[in-house]
Amino acid sequence: MPEKPVKIFPWGNSRRIHAFSSYCIKTFGSRLQKLSIDAGFTCPNRDGTKGSGGCTFCVNNAFNPSYCKPEKSITQQINEGIEFHKNRYRRATKYIAYFQPFSNTYKDLGGLKKIYEEALTHPLISGISIGTRPDCVDDKKLDYLQQLGSKYFVAVEYGVESCNNKTLEIVNRGHTFETAAETIHKTAKRKIFTAAHFIFGFPGETTQDILNQAQVISQLPLNSIKIHQLQILKNTEMARLYKKNPSAFHLFKLDEYIELVIDFLERLNPNIMVERLSGEVPPHFLETSSWGLIRNDQVLQGIEKRMEERETWQGRLFIK
């Protein structure tokens, strides 16, 4: 019996997801590993500028590796991060400095230049990725990042979280979706690699609400997106609300989440790359969990296996 021909998708390979990792190999010649760096930032919804307490779901320490401490210099965190990842990801030979915790543009431009440029002088760093909020950039900062991007790989990752303004208000985000969309357009206009982060499973959002966001997101000039399931972390306002009224939350079972993500990807613009489709934190941070100790790579394998079974791919149902 003849073998079934391999289908090649518009992004140039047989993976059913337009994966950021494939882009890295094509662009840089090898796999890139992101090194998390804590440069001591905060957020305007924490320091009283726009609010206090931060987002109701947020515990940044849950995502920080052990070497990632703001009292260490940028260079020291990079060196320790490389050693950390050499043991875990032996294939990585090039690295991106990932300014991850809190809002990493929430400082004066002079301070940002010092931080970013220290990272970029490291011989093993191929570029920087900056996690921030859409209300923490301005034209001067974007102009600087545009200039920096002419010499190095520079990505800005905006925490958008939801396209639903009611949800953003409930989780104390402190900005609207319209603010995020406007900032994304300004960033992409400058040819800066533009990414966005979203969370699936906020209380009050239905499965259809989540799927409807695919069309909205698809119209944004994004290079890549990250998605993960809502995780209820201890000692957060979200955890307090969950303990008070657990019936208000729908925490996806793993199989259910896999089907949801595939349904979403089918509707997503195939030109948008995918960086992440689930999240994981150390179990001791979790208030509740139905997934056990499954790792992100296992979730991704499950998604791609199920996509093959369903004979589907990212963008199959996308409507321009």
Short mmCIF file of all heavy atoms in Angstrom, two decimals, residues 91-133:
data_model
loop_
_atom_site.label_atom_id
_atom_site.label_comp_id
_atom_site.label_asym_id
_atom_site.label_seq_id
_atom_site.Cartn_x
_atom_site.Cartn_y
_atom_site.Cartn_z
N ARG A 91 20.35 20.93 23.34
CA ARG A 91 20.47 21.29 21.93
C ARG A 91 20.69 22.79 21.72
O ARG A 91 21.09 23.21 20.65
CB ARG A 91 19.21 20.87 21.17
CG ARG A 91 19.03 19.37 21.05
CD ARG A 91 17.71 19.06 20.36
NE ARG A 91 16.58 19.52 21.15
CZ ARG A 91 15.34 19.64 20.70
NH1 ARG A 91 15.08 19.35 19.43
NH2 ARG A 91 14.35 20.04 21.46
N ALA A 92 20.39 23.61 22.72
CA ALA A 92 20.48 25.06 22.55
C ALA A 92 21.92 25.52 22.49
O ALA A 92 22.75 25.14 23.32
CB ALA A 92 19.76 25.75 23.71
N THR A 93 22.24 26.33 21.48
CA THR A 93 23.57 26.92 21.35
C THR A 93 23.49 28.44 21.26
O THR A 93 24.50 29.12 21.36
CB THR A 93 24.29 26.39 20.11
OG1 THR A 93 23.50 26.66 18.94
CG2 THR A 93 24.54 24.89 20.22
N LYS A 94 22.28 28.97 21.03
CA LYS A 94 22.06 30.40 20.96
C LYS A 94 20.90 30.77 21.87
O LYS A 94 20.00 29.95 22.10
CB LYS A 94 21.77 30.83 19.52
CG LYS A 94 22.92 30.60 18.56
CD LYS A 94 22.57 31.06 17.15
CE LYS A 94 23.73 30.80 16.19
NZ LYS A 94 23.41 31.23 14.81
N TYR A 95 20.93 32.00 22.36
CA TYR A 95 19.98 32.37 23.40
C TYR A 95 19.38 33.76 23.14
O TYR A 95 20.00 34.62 22.51
CB TYR A 95 20.68 32.38 24.76
CG TYR A 95 21.29 31.05 25.12
CD1 TYR A 95 22.59 30.74 24.74
CD2 TYR A 95 20.56 30.09 25.82
CE1 TYR A 95 23.15 29.52 25.05
CE2 TYR A 95 21.12 28.86 26.14
CZ TYR A 95 22.41 28.58 25.74
OH TYR A 95 22.95 27.36 26.05
N ILE A 96 18.16 33.92 23.64
CA ILE A 96 17.49 35.22 23.67
C ILE A 96 17.33 35.62 25.12
O ILE A 96 16.88 34.81 25.96
CB ILE A 96 16.12 35.15 22.99
CG1 ILE A 96 16.28 34.94 21.48
CG2 ILE A 96 15.32 36.42 23.25
CD1 ILE A 96 14.96 34.80 20.74
N ALA A 97 17.71 36.83 25.45
CA ALA A 97 17.50 37.36 26.79
C ALA A 97 16.03 37.77 26.91
O ALA A 97 15.58 38.67 26.19
CB ALA A 97 18.41 38.55 27.05
N TYR A 98 15.30 37.09 27.79
CA TYR A 98 13.85 37.28 27.91
C TYR A 98 13.56 38.04 29.19
O TYR A 98 13.61 37.47 30.28
CB TYR A 98 13.17 35.91 27.90
CG TYR A 98 11.66 35.93 28.00
CD1 TYR A 98 10.91 37.03 27.62
CD2 TYR A 98 10.99 34.81 28.48
CE1 TYR A 98 9.53 37.02 27.71
CE2 TYR A 98 9.60 34.78 28.56
CZ TYR A 98 8.88 35.89 28.18
OH TYR A 98 7.52 35.88 28.27
N PHE A 99 13.25 39.31 29.06
CA PHE A 99 12.86 40.13 30.20
C PHE A 99 11.39 39.83 30.48
O PHE A 99 10.50 40.36 29.84
CB PHE A 99 13.10 41.61 29.89
CG PHE A 99 14.55 41.95 29.72
CD1 PHE A 99 15.15 41.91 28.47
CD2 PHE A 99 15.33 42.28 30.82
CE1 PHE A 99 16.50 42.20 28.31
CE2 PHE A 99 16.68 42.58 30.67
CZ PHE A 99 17.26 42.53 29.42
N GLN A 100 11.17 38.97 31.49
CA GLN A 100 9.86 38.35 31.65
C GLN A 100 9.02 38.90 32.80
O GLN A 100 7.88 39.31 32.58
CB GLN A 100 10.03 36.84 31.82
CG GLN A 100 8.72 36.09 31.99
CD GLN A 100 8.91 34.59 32.16
OE1 GLN A 100 10.00 34.13 32.50
NE2 GLN A 100 7.89 33.82 31.91
N PRO A 101 9.52 38.93 34.05
CA PRO A 101 8.61 39.27 35.16
C PRO A 101 8.16 40.73 35.12
O PRO A 101 8.94 41.64 34.89
CB PRO A 101 9.46 39.00 36.40
CG PRO A 101 10.58 38.15 35.95
CD PRO A 101 10.84 38.54 34.54
N PHE A 102 6.87 40.93 35.33
CA PHE A 102 6.25 42.25 35.40
C PHE A 102 6.35 42.99 34.07
O PHE A 102 6.39 42.35 33.02
CB PHE A 102 6.84 43.04 36.57
CG PHE A 102 6.68 42.32 37.89
CD1 PHE A 102 7.77 41.78 38.56
CD2 PHE A 102 5.42 42.13 38.45
CE1 PHE A 102 7.62 41.10 39.76
CE2 PHE A 102 5.25 41.45 39.66
CZ PHE A 102 6.36 40.93 40.31
N SER A 103 6.40 44.33 34.09
CA SER A 103 6.30 45.14 32.87
C SER A 103 7.66 45.72 32.54
O SER A 103 8.09 46.72 33.12
CB SER A 103 5.28 46.26 33.07
OG SER A 103 4.01 45.72 33.37
N ASN A 104 8.32 45.13 31.55
CA ASN A 104 9.74 45.38 31.32
C ASN A 104 10.05 46.55 30.40
O ASN A 104 11.16 46.66 29.87
CB ASN A 104 10.40 44.10 30.82
CG ASN A 104 10.46 43.03 31.89
OD1 ASN A 104 11.41 42.95 32.65
ND2 ASN A 104 9.42 42.22 31.96
N THR A 105 9.07 47.45 30.23
CA THR A 105 9.32 48.76 29.64
C THR A 105 8.90 49.87 30.59
O THR A 105 8.88 51.04 30.22
CB THR A 105 8.55 48.94 28.31
OG1 THR A 105 7.16 48.72 28.55
CG2 THR A 105 9.05 47.97 27.25
N TYR A 106 8.58 49.48 31.82
CA TYR A 106 8.03 50.43 32.80
C TYR A 106 9.17 51.12 33.56
O TYR A 106 9.39 50.90 34.74
CB TYR A 106 7.08 49.70 33.75
CG TYR A 106 6.24 50.58 34.62
CD1 TYR A 106 5.62 51.73 34.11
CD2 TYR A 106 6.03 50.27 35.96
CE1 TYR A 106 4.83 52.53 34.91
CE2 TYR A 106 5.23 51.06 36.77
CZ TYR A 106 4.64 52.20 36.24
OH TYR A 106 3.85 52.99 37.05
N LYS A 107 9.93 51.93 32.80
CA LYS A 107 11.08 52.66 33.34
C LYS A 107 11.42 53.75 32.33
O LYS A 107 11.00 53.69 31.17
CB LYS A 107 12.26 51.69 33.52
CG LYS A 107 13.44 52.23 34.31
CD LYS A 107 14.57 51.22 34.36
CE LYS A 107 14.28 50.05 35.28
NZ LYS A 107 14.35 50.42 36.71
N ASP A 108 12.18 54.74 32.76
CA ASP A 108 12.59 55.79 31.82
C ASP A 108 13.48 55.20 30.74
O ASP A 108 14.13 54.16 30.93
CB ASP A 108 13.32 56.91 32.57
CG ASP A 108 14.64 56.43 33.17
OD1 ASP A 108 14.61 55.93 34.32
OD2 ASP A 108 15.67 56.55 32.50
N LEU A 109 13.53 55.88 29.61
CA LEU A 109 14.24 55.35 28.45
C LEU A 109 15.72 55.13 28.73
O LEU A 109 16.29 54.12 28.29
CB LEU A 109 14.06 56.29 27.25
CG LEU A 109 14.68 55.84 25.92
CD1 LEU A 109 14.18 54.46 25.52
CD2 LEU A 109 14.38 56.86 24.84
N GLY A 110 16.35 56.01 29.47
CA GLY A 110 17.76 55.84 29.80
C GLY A 110 18.01 54.56 30.58
O GLY A 110 18.99 53.84 30.32
N GLY A 111 17.14 54.27 31.53
CA GLY A 111 17.27 53.04 32.30
C GLY A 111 17.07 51.80 31.45
O GLY A 111 17.76 50.79 31.62
N LEU A 112 16.12 51.86 30.51
CA LEU A 112 15.87 50.73 29.61
C LEU A 112 17.08 50.46 28.71
O LEU A 112 17.46 49.31 28.50
CB LEU A 112 14.64 50.99 28.75
CG LEU A 112 13.30 51.11 29.48
CD1 LEU A 112 12.18 51.39 28.49
CD2 LEU A 112 12.98 49.86 30.30
N LYS A 113 17.67 51.51 28.19
CA LYS A 113 18.84 51.34 27.31
C LYS A 113 19.96 50.59 28.03
O LYS A 113 20.57 49.68 27.47
CB LYS A 113 19.35 52.71 26.85
CG LYS A 113 18.45 53.40 25.83
CD LYS A 113 19.06 54.74 25.42
CE LYS A 113 18.21 55.43 24.36
NZ LYS A 113 18.78 56.73 23.93
N LYS A 114 20.22 50.99 29.27
CA LYS A 114 21.29 50.35 30.04
C LYS A 114 21.02 48.86 30.21
O LYS A 114 21.93 48.02 30.05
CB LYS A 114 21.42 51.03 31.40
CG LYS A 114 22.54 50.48 32.25
CD LYS A 114 22.62 51.23 33.59
CE LYS A 114 23.72 50.66 34.46
NZ LYS A 114 23.80 51.35 35.78
N ILE A 115 19.78 48.51 30.53
CA ILE A 115 19.41 47.11 30.79
C ILE A 115 19.49 46.28 29.51
O ILE A 115 20.13 45.22 29.47
CB ILE A 115 18.00 47.06 31.40
CG1 ILE A 115 18.02 47.63 32.82
CG2 ILE A 115 17.47 45.62 31.40
CD1 ILE A 115 16.64 47.88 33.39
N TYR A 116 18.83 46.75 28.46
CA TYR A 116 18.79 45.97 27.22
C TYR A 116 20.17 45.82 26.59
O TYR A 116 20.54 44.74 26.10
CB TYR A 116 17.85 46.63 26.20
CG TYR A 116 16.42 46.81 26.64
CD1 TYR A 116 15.62 47.80 26.07
CD2 TYR A 116 15.84 46.01 27.62
CE1 TYR A 116 14.30 47.98 26.45
CE2 TYR A 116 14.53 46.19 28.02
CZ TYR A 116 13.76 47.18 27.42
OH TYR A 116 12.46 47.36 27.80
N GLU A 117 20.92 46.90 26.60
CA GLU A 117 22.21 46.87 25.91
C GLU A 117 23.25 46.04 26.66
O GLU A 117 24.15 45.47 26.06
CB GLU A 117 22.68 48.30 25.64
CG GLU A 117 21.81 48.98 24.59
CD GLU A 117 22.09 50.46 24.37
OE1 GLU A 117 23.20 50.92 24.75
OE2 GLU A 117 21.21 51.16 23.84
N GLU A 118 23.12 45.94 27.99
CA GLU A 118 23.99 45.03 28.73
C GLU A 118 23.75 43.59 28.27
O GLU A 118 24.70 42.83 28.07
CB GLU A 118 23.77 45.13 30.24
CG GLU A 118 24.68 44.19 31.01
CD GLU A 118 24.49 44.24 32.53
OE1 GLU A 118 23.81 45.17 33.02
OE2 GLU A 118 25.03 43.35 33.21
N ALA A 119 22.47 43.24 28.08
CA ALA A 119 22.16 41.88 27.62
C ALA A 119 22.71 41.63 26.23
O ALA A 119 23.28 40.57 25.94
CB ALA A 119 20.64 41.66 27.64
N LEU A 120 22.58 42.60 25.35
CA LEU A 120 22.98 42.40 23.96
C LEU A 120 24.49 42.37 23.74
O LEU A 120 24.95 41.96 22.68
CB LEU A 120 22.34 43.49 23.09
CG LEU A 120 20.83 43.34 22.89
CD1 LEU A 120 20.22 44.61 22.30
CD2 LEU A 120 20.51 42.13 22.01
N THR A 121 25.26 42.82 24.74
CA THR A 121 26.72 42.73 24.61
C THR A 121 27.24 41.34 24.91
O THR A 121 28.41 41.04 24.64
CB THR A 121 27.42 43.74 25.56
OG1 THR A 121 27.05 43.44 26.92
CG2 THR A 121 27.04 45.17 25.22
N HIS A 122 26.40 40.46 25.47
CA HIS A 122 26.84 39.12 25.80
C HIS A 122 27.07 38.33 24.51
O HIS A 122 26.20 38.31 23.63
CB HIS A 122 25.82 38.41 26.68
CG HIS A 122 26.33 37.18 27.34
ND1 HIS A 122 26.55 36.00 26.66
CD2 HIS A 122 26.71 36.95 28.64
CE1 HIS A 122 27.01 35.09 27.50
NE2 HIS A 122 27.11 35.63 28.70
N PRO A 123 28.19 37.63 24.36
CA PRO A 123 28.52 36.98 23.08
C PRO A 123 27.57 35.86 22.67
O PRO A 123 27.49 35.52 21.48
CB PRO A 123 29.93 36.43 23.32
CG PRO A 123 30.09 36.36 24.80
CD PRO A 123 29.29 37.50 25.34
N LEU A 124 26.83 35.26 23.61
CA LEU A 124 25.93 34.16 23.27
C LEU A 124 24.47 34.60 23.12
O LEU A 124 23.60 33.76 22.90
CB LEU A 124 26.03 33.05 24.31
CG LEU A 124 27.39 32.33 24.39
CD1 LEU A 124 27.35 31.23 25.43
CD2 LEU A 124 27.79 31.76 23.02
N ILE A 125 24.22 35.89 23.27
CA ILE A 125 22.87 36.41 23.15
C ILE A 125 22.61 36.87 21.72
O ILE A 125 23.33 37.72 21.20
CB ILE A 125 22.63 37.56 24.15
CG1 ILE A 125 22.65 37.03 25.59
CG2 ILE A 125 21.30 38.28 23.86
CD1 ILE A 125 21.56 36.03 25.91
N SER A 126 21.58 36.30 21.09
CA SER A 126 21.24 36.64 19.71
C SER A 126 20.18 37.72 19.61
O SER A 126 19.89 38.22 18.51
CB SER A 126 20.75 35.39 18.97
OG SER A 126 21.77 34.41 18.92
N GLY A 127 19.55 38.06 20.73
CA GLY A 127 18.52 39.09 20.71
C GLY A 127 17.83 39.18 22.05
O GLY A 127 18.21 38.50 23.01
N ILE A 128 16.82 40.04 22.12
CA ILE A 128 16.07 40.20 23.36
C ILE A 128 14.58 40.09 23.09
O ILE A 128 14.10 40.41 22.00
CB ILE A 128 16.36 41.56 24.05
CG1 ILE A 128 16.04 42.74 23.13
CG2 ILE A 128 17.81 41.62 24.51
CD1 ILE A 128 16.17 44.10 23.80
N SER A 129 13.86 39.60 24.08
CA SER A 129 12.41 39.56 24.06
C SER A 129 11.92 40.27 25.32
O SER A 129 12.37 39.95 26.43
CB SER A 129 11.91 38.11 24.02
OG SER A 129 10.49 38.07 23.98
N ILE A 130 11.00 41.20 25.15
CA ILE A 130 10.60 42.09 26.24
C ILE A 130 9.13 41.88 26.54
O ILE A 130 8.26 42.21 25.73
CB ILE A 130 10.85 43.57 25.85
CG1 ILE A 130 12.32 43.79 25.47
CG2 ILE A 130 10.44 44.49 26.98
CD1 ILE A 130 12.56 45.07 24.70
N GLY A 131 8.84 41.31 27.70
CA GLY A 131 7.46 41.15 28.13
C GLY A 131 6.99 42.40 28.83
O GLY A 131 7.64 42.90 29.74
N THR A 132 5.83 42.94 28.40
CA THR A 132 5.35 44.17 29.00
C THR A 132 3.85 44.32 28.79
O THR A 132 3.19 43.44 28.23
CB THR A 132 6.11 45.39 28.43
OG1 THR A 132 5.81 46.55 29.22
CG2 THR A 132 5.75 45.64 26.98
N ARG A 133 3.33 45.44 29.25
CA ARG A 133 1.92 45.79 29.09
C ARG A 133 1.79 46.80 27.94
O ARG A 133 2.70 47.59 27.71
CB ARG A 133 1.38 46.42 30.37
CG ARG A 133 1.29 45.50 31.56
CD ARG A 133 1.13 46.31 32.86
NE ARG A 133 0.05 47.28 32.80
CZ ARG A 133 -1.19 47.07 33.26
NH1 ARG A 133 -1.49 45.91 33.83
NH2 ARG A 133 -2.12 48.01 33.18
#
